[in-house]
Amino acid sequence: MAGLVQAGYLASSLLCIGSLSGLASQATARQGNILGVLGVGSGILASLAAVGFPVEVLMQFGMVASVGGILGK
């Protein structure tokens, strides 16, 4: 599991760096935003996997995050 968490951190950092380069121009800004969202999302997932929460806690986190996402629209 530790190797998977490290790979998640690596993917997250590469996606965030890619998002910064995508935000450099107007033509690629949409792609940069998508890469940034994917990078932050994979970083959050890797952090949650590293802590080792029980499945019930992860499901509660997912439900609260979903409600917040729906209300934020």
Side-chain angles (χ1 to χ4, degrees):
M1 185 69 167
L4 185 61
V5 170
Q6 292 298 322
Y9 286 145
L10 178 64
S12 175
S13 63
L14 291 175
L15 286 169
C16 286
I17 291 170
S19 75
L20 291 176
S21 65
L23 292 173
S25 72
Q26 292 271 337
T28 59
R30 190 171 301 224
Q31 179 184 1
N33 283 334
I34 292 170
L35 290 176
V37 168
L38 291 175
V40 170
S42 65
I44 290 172
L45 290 176
S47 297
L48 289 174
V51 173
F53 287 118
V55 175
E56 294 84 15
V57 173
L58 292 175
M59 296 210 24
Q60 288 175 356
F61 174 77
M63 290 187 322
V64 169
S66 298
V67 169
I70 291 168
L71 292 177
K73 285 186 177 185

